[in-house]
Amino acid sequence: MPASRDADDVQYNNSEILDPRIRQRLKHDAQGLVAAVIQQYDSKEVLMVGYMNDEAVRRTLTTGRVTFWSRSRQEFWRKGDTSGHVQYVKSFNLDCDGDAILVEVDQVGAACHHGTRTCFLSGGPLPVVVGTRSDEEKSI
Amino acid sequence: MPASRDADDVQYNNSEILDPRIRQRLKHDAQGLVAAVIQQYDSKEVLMVGYMNDEAVRRTLTTGRVTFWSRSRQEFWRKGDTSGHVQYVKSFNLDCDGDAILVEVDQVGAACHHGTRTCFLSGGPLPVVVGTRSDEEKSI
């Protein structure tokens, strides 16, 4: 198991480009992107999923605001610039293999451009067969 | 804003293949996949991110267990089959444009194959500049 990294242990230099030590930990897709899950820091609602390239990661780490790379528009997109629905960064974690990011934010207003608090409220639920733990699994 | 869909409103037929009405709502990437965020239903921890093709979506909706498509191994992967760390499905939501899924689950044991409860605890935090709401934004 990789050692848990404490945010205060290491000093990175993201002043011009994303620090190469961070870049090396990212596992980019064919478009150079990593999926970013955006979660409200206090209520823990999952607000949306966006994508970041290295520069979007750098801006998100260094400016207090979440920046994405828009796959459809092929441009940087700082959440809230047109809508006012800003995402203030509270924490930033990589996953175990570097192909996903979890950003905890304070979301001003609606995260979804359709006006709902989260994009998953806008899309809505599908009916599922619900699974339940076995008796043996209840203490795990 | 799209009407919020109630899971009880529509009857889908996922018995052989994913119902075409669901398939049409998915926005697949070039590999035919959609990103799936897996969240513990009660604590709201974000456990991991995986990817699903149409058949993995169908299995997840109909079996009570989360099934992914492994991009590295190019095969279906039912979480917990080798580790015992099963994910029991509690709910399934699409996002507004159908390119992300949020599955609430009951996770038995560790979600991460490195043994931590979530894959983001294994990857660990990076230092961030924390952003804060302006006075005007405090009531939004």
Side-chain angles (χ1 to χ4, degrees):
Chain A
M1 187 172 100
S4 178
R5 291 176 179 80
D6 184 315
D8 296 322
D9 280 348
V10 185
Q11 292 294 317
Y12 296 102
N13 181 356
N14 294 313
S15 59
E16 300 280 334
I17 58 167
L18 183 65
D19 191 299
R21 292 167 294 177
I22 297 175
R23 186 178 200 290
Q24 285 166 8
R25 292 179 57 196
L26 298 176
K27 190 167 152 191
H28 307 81
D29 69 11
Q31 286 74 47
L33 303 175
V34 178
V37 179
I38 311 300
Q39 183 178 34
Q40 174 68 23
Y41 79 107
D42 48 6
S43 69
K44 305 299 182 192
E45 297 161 284
V46 176
L47 299 168
M48 58 176 289
V49 174
Y51 288 84
M52 295 184 186
N53 59 14
D54 288 349
E55 175 63 12
V57 168
R58 189 188 76 80
R59 295 184 191 186
T60 300
L61 290 172
T62 58
T63 66
R65 296 268 304 268
V66 177
T67 294
F68 299 103
W69 176 256
S70 169
R71 297 179 299 174
S72 54
R73 299 192 305 273
Q74 291 283 301
E75 64 183 19
F76 290 106
W77 163 51
R78 194 168 73 152
K79 181 74 183 167
D81 277 353
T82 53
S83 64
H85 296 158
V86 172
Q87 291 172 341
Y88 289 110
V89 175
K90 298 299 181 187
S91 72
F92 185 111
N93 274 54
L94 295 181
D95 78 347
C96 48
D97 58 359
D99 69 353
I101 294 164
L102 177 62
V103 188
E104 287 193 316
V105 305
D106 188 9
Q107 169 73 56
V108 176
C112 186
H113 66 295
H114 291 297
T116 50
R117 176 70 175 163
T118 86
C119 290
F120 298 99
L121 289 171
S122 171
L126 290 174
V128 292
V129 173
V130 170
T132 305
R133 290 178 186 238
S134 66
D135 285 345
E136 294 72 27
E137 290 167 333
K138 283 195 174 143
S139 60
I140 302 174
Chain B
M1 189 172 101
S4 177
R5 289 178 182 80
D6 184 317
D8 296 322
D9 280 348
V10 185
Q11 291 294 318
Y12 296 103
N13 181 357
N14 294 312
S15 58
E16 301 281 335
I17 59 166
L18 183 65
D19 190 301
R21 291 167 294 177
I22 297 175
R23 187 178 199 289
Q24 285 168 8
R25 292 178 57 195
L26 299 176
K27 190 167 153 191
H28 307 82
D29 69 10
Q31 285 73 48
L33 303 176
V34 178
V37 179
I38 312 299
Q39 182 177 35
Q40 175 67 25
Y41 79 105
D42 48 6
S43 68
K44 306 298 182 192
E45 296 161 286
V46 176
L47 299 168
M48 59 177 288
V49 174
Y51 289 84
M52 295 185 188
N53 59 15
D54 289 348
E55 175 61 13
V57 168
R58 189 188 74 82
R59 295 183 190 185
T60 299
L61 290 173
T62 58
T63 66
R65 296 268 305 270
V66 178
T67 295
F68 299 104
W69 177 255
S70 169
R71 297 179 298 175
S72 55
R73 300 193 305 274
Q74 292 283 298
E75 63 182 20
F76 290 105
W77 162 51
R78 195 168 72 151
K79 182 74 182 168
D81 277 353
T82 55
S83 64
H85 295 157
V86 172
Q87 292 172 340
Y88 289 111
V89 175
K90 298 300 181 186
S91 71
F92 185 111
N93 274 54
L94 295 180
D95 79 345
C96 48
D97 58 0
D99 69 352
I101 294 165
L102 177 62
V103 188
E104 287 193 317
V105 304
D106 188 9
Q107 170 73 58
V108 176
C112 186
H113 66 295
H114 291 298
T116 50
R117 176 68 177 164
T118 86
C119 290
F120 298 98
L121 289 170
S122 172
L126 291 173
V128 292
V129 173
V130 170
T132 305
R133 288 176 187 241
S134 66
D135 286 344
E136 293 75 24
E137 290 166 331
K138 283 194 175 144
S139 59
I140 303 175

